[in-house]
Amino acid sequence: MAKRPPGQLRKAMSLLAKGSRPAGERLTTQSRAAVVAVSIHCSGPQGCLPRSIATALLCRARGQWPVWCVGVRRHPPFGAHAWVEAEGVAVGEGHPAGYYSLLYAVGRAEEGDRDGAAVEDVGDVGPGEERLGGVEGS
């Protein structure tokens, strides 16, 4: 999944989040730990995208979904990052709050919204700019 174009990946993650309950911090932390324990790639510094996807999918296998986030580093050098959040906390991340600017997040379906998962776009894209996507670096 991590090799898919950004739009397809985002759509797939949104579809997978449908019908789920919100994942708690404990389950999300356990799921992330399981992912990094079995995958050298996911445990490495360039493994943020597959790590975040695998963590979300492992939570989904238990009927729950963390908030899956994609963003960029606020200060040079440029760097993209993907992570999961639960109960408002970035799970297993060593960076302080606000270190990354959120580009979009895929969360669980809002209460009363049985058709799909909430997808949050953050910020406007200025003239001549494109929305970032699909960078595997962290």
Side-chain angles (χ1 to χ4, degrees), residues 58-112:
L58 194 52
C59 288
R60 185 61 180 108
R62 293 178 174 104
Q64 299 178 40
W65 187 263
V67 178
W68 180 70
C69 304
V70 175
V72 294
R73 192 177 302 139
R74 288 184 182 260
H75 303 288
F78 174 83
H81 191 53
W83 68 95
V84 292
E85 294 182 355
E87 299 175 17
V89 175
V91 175
E93 299 295 328
H95 58 78
Y99 187 75
Y100 290 98
S101 291
L102 182 67
L103 294 178
Y104 60 85
V106 176
R108 69 178 184 85
E110 296 298 318
E111 293 300 321

Side-chain angles (χ1 to χ4, degrees), residues 13-135:
M13 295 297 276
S14 296
L15 290 171
L16 288 164
K18 283 184 181 182
S20 62
R21 297 183 319 270
E25 189 174 358
R26 181 176 179 202
L27 173 63
T28 306
T29 299
Q30 290 171 343
S31 297
R32 187 181 188 280
V35 167
V36 300
V38 299
S39 171
I40 293 172
H41 181 67
C42 287
S43 65
Q46 300 297 314
C48 64
L49 184 58
R51 178 175 56 242
S52 66
I53 292 168
T55 300
L57 294 178
L58 194 52
C59 288
R60 185 61 180 108
R62 293 178 174 104
Q64 299 178 40
W65 187 263
V67 178
W68 180 70
C69 304
V70 175
V72 294
R73 192 177 302 139
R74 288 184 182 260
H75 303 288
F78 174 83
H81 191 53
W83 68 95
V84 292
E85 294 182 355
E87 299 175 17
V89 175
V91 175
E93 299 295 328
H95 58 78
Y99 187 75
Y100 290 98
S101 291
L102 182 67
L103 294 178
Y104 60 85
V106 176
R108 69 178 184 85
E110 296 298 318
E111 293 300 321
D113 177 10
R114 296 188 186 121
D115 295 330
V119 177
E120 178 184 356
D121 272 313
V122 180
D124 293 327
V125 176
E129 297 177 330
E130 295 181 30
R131 186 160 309 280
L132 174 74
V135 180

